[in-house]
Every structure is written in structure tokens, then in C-alpha cells.
């Protein structure tokens, strides 16, 4: 059982380049989300999805796009990378959006924008 | 809006010392409360949770009690080990939204 899988684990981009961070889960979870982790800032929500075809913005959505065409996948797109997007990105999934539901996290993608 | 405040780190302890990491929250309604742990180079994993007032979550010797009157969910362990060295995050979840995290507290335990 793989759980939540993120690829790649590490990435270096030049300013202005685009890329997609992949996230896949095999637990048939409806709810998926993306966070970024920065020193002294904790985890901040970028975008989330409550099911296939439904996405919404979190606390820090600017510069990122998402889509949810299947239950399993929730990719995060950076259209034009900026140094401020240097961070560690975590994808999470949970069975539902109910408040007592445990979230499962991927191992993270460490992104550096130069 | 909803928010979580936890004590600043780093916290440095000797093995077998008592641990407390403070966490307070602001929320409308009655959220569920969580502690997540992040070991070096890994993602977050659930340590314990509590879903209503006066509930006590516990796991691996860690405990936290949901105190509605003080809006707190402090993490405690009676005797820490070197293997407990990690970053600890307090979080809340209000129905229909994603987890809201505190800034994290780094714990270092030396032998």
C-alpha cells in the first residue's frame, strides 16, 4: 500500500520556468490538499479538492494552479516559477473533509527556484 | 478566522526529561485537534487527536487533552527518548476545510 506518493523528491528550476508537482494516492480518498512548508511559517494551505472536478483556494494560492480529473491524482502546477516559491511542498489526502478525519501526507518535494 | 499558536522552539531536553509543548487555538464552533510529527526528511504523520472537549488523545507515551475552557491542546510526555527528536505540529480541523497548522516546534533530545 503506497499511500500518498509525490514526485519528484527534489527539483531545481530557473525563474520563469514551469513545472508540475505530481501527487497520487491509492486509498480512494475524496479529499486532497497541497501545502508549502517554510522555516518559521509552519504549513500553509495552497489549494485543496473535495472530490474529482472540484477544487478551491487555500491561504496562499497565487502562482499555483491545480486540477482534479481523477480521485487518485492532484497535480500542482507552477506556471512561471519565482524564487519566493522555493519551499518544501506536501500533498495530503483524507477519506473525507470531516473534521475528525486523519490526513495522510506524502514525503514532500523540495523545490529550489534560482 | 481559525488559527493555531504553539510555543516557539527549539526545545532541547536530556533523555528521560518531561516534555510539554504548548498549543492554543482560535476557532468558531468545535474543531477537532491534532498533533502531527515530522521526523527528519519525512512527511508528517498523525501522532494523536481529540475530537471533543475533555477528550484525551494518546499515542507512544504522548498525551494531549482538549481543553475548551482554555482553548488549549498541550502535548506532554513523561520521559522523552532520543528517537522523539522531531518537529511537532499542532493543528485543527473545522468541518469542510483543510487542516490549519501551527508553526511547528523542533524537539532535540540528547543522551
Amino acid at each position: 500500500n503506497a499511500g500518498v506518493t509525490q514526485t519528484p523528491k527534489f527539483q531545481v528550476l530557473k525563474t520563469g520556468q514551469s513545472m508540475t508537482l505530481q501527487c497520487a494516492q491509492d486509498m480512494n480518498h475524496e479529499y486532497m490538499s497541497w501545502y508549502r512548508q517554510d522555516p518559521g511559517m509552519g504549513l500553509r494551505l495552497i489549494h485543496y479538492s473535495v472530490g474529482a472536478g472540484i477544487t478551491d483556494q487555500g491561504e496562499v494560492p497565487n502562482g499555483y494552479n491545480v486540477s482534479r480529473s481523477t480521485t487518485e491524482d492532484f497535480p500542482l502546477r507552477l506556471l512561471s516559477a519565482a524564487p519566493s516559491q522555493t519551499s518544501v511542498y506536501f500533498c495530503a489526502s483524507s477519506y473525507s473533509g470531516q473534521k475528525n478525519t486523519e490526513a495522510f501526507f506524502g514525503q514532500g518535494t523540495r523545490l529550489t527556484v534560482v | 478566522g481559525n488559527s493555531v499558536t504553539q510555543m516557539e522552539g527549539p526545545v532541547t531536553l536530556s533523555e528521560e526529561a518531561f516534555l510539554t509543548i504548548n498549543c492554543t487555538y482560535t476557532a468558531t464552533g468545535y474543531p477537532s485537534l491534532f498533533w502531527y510529527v515530522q521526523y527528519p526528511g519525512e512527511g508528517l504523520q498523525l501522532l494523536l487527536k481529540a475530537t471533543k472537549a475533555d477528550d484525551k488523545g494518546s499515542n507512544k507515551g504522548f498525551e494531549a487533552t482538549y481543553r475548551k475552557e482554555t482553548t488549549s491542546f498541550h502535548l506532554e510526555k513523561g520521559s522523552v527518548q532520543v528517537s522523539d527528536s522531531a518537529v511537532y505540529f499542532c493543528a485543527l480541523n473545522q468541518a469542510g476545510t483543510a487542516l490549519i497548522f501551527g508553526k511547528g516546534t523542533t524537539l532535540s533530545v540528547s543522551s
Side-chain angles (χ1 to χ4, degrees):
Chain A
N1 191 346
V4 179
T5 302
Q6 290 183 237
T7 56
K9 286 186 170 53
F10 302 93
Q11 183 71 49
V12 179
L13 286 180
K14 294 182 179 179
T15 297
Q17 285 185 317
S18 62
M19 80 160 295
T20 299
L21 279 62
Q22 301 291 344
C23 176
Q25 53 91 9
D26 61 359
M27 296 174 282
N28 201 31
H29 285 170
E30 288 295 319
Y31 200 93
M32 297 185 74
S33 51
W34 277 102
Y35 293 85
R36 58 178 290 172
Q37 182 180 22
D38 301 293
M41 300 295 291
L43 278 81
R44 292 180 292 169
L45 180 67
I46 305 171
H47 286 284
Y48 65 97
S49 170
V50 300
I54 306 169
T55 64
D56 206 347
Q57 296 182 350
E59 179 185 358
V60 289
N62 293 341
Y64 307 95
N65 279 354
V66 293
S67 60
R68 183 98 180 270
S69 57
T70 67
T71 299
E72 293 78 18
D73 300 300
F74 190 44
L76 179 71
R77 297 184 186 85
L78 284 71
L79 299 180
S80 179
S84 61
Q85 293 177 305
T86 294
S87 188
V88 181
Y89 292 84
F90 287 99
C91 179
S93 74
S94 59
Y95 179 70
S96 74
Q98 296 300 310
K99 63 181 181 179
N100 60 350
T101 305
E102 175 184 358
F104 293 82
F105 285 79
Q107 298 268 340
T109 295
R110 184 174 295 275
L111 175 68
T112 302
V113 183
V114 297
Chain B
N2 298 339
S3 65
V4 175
T5 302
Q6 60 181 104
M7 64 185 288
E8 299 285 330
V11 174
T12 303
L13 295 173
S14 298
E15 209 166 22
E16 299 183 2
F18 184 84
L19 169 71
T20 299
I21 300 178
N22 290 337
C23 171
T24 58
Y25 68 91
T26 301
T28 56
Y30 304 95
S32 290
L33 301 174
F34 302 81
W35 278 100
Y36 280 82
V37 59
Q38 182 182 32
Y39 298 104
E42 298 185 10
L44 280 72
Q45 54 187 276
L46 179 67
L47 180 59
L48 53 85
K49 70 177 184 182
T51 59
K52 62 183 186 296
D54 299 324
D55 266 2
K56 177 185 283 187
S58 62
N59 186 25
K60 299 181 181 179
F62 292 89
E63 294 182 340
T65 301
Y66 190 143
R67 301 287 187 199
K68 186 172 181 298
E69 63 276 13
T70 55
T71 62
S72 65
F73 192 55
H74 305 321
L75 182 68
E76 296 182 337
K77 187 175 186 182
S79 177
V80 295
Q81 305 300 313
V82 172
S83 57
D84 293 327
S85 298
V87 182
Y88 292 81
F89 291 93
C90 186
L92 70 82
N93 195 345
Q94 199 82 16
T97 67
L99 283 163
I100 296 172
F101 288 90
K103 294 186 178 181
T105 302
T106 299
L107 171 65
S108 295
V109 181
S110 58
S111 58

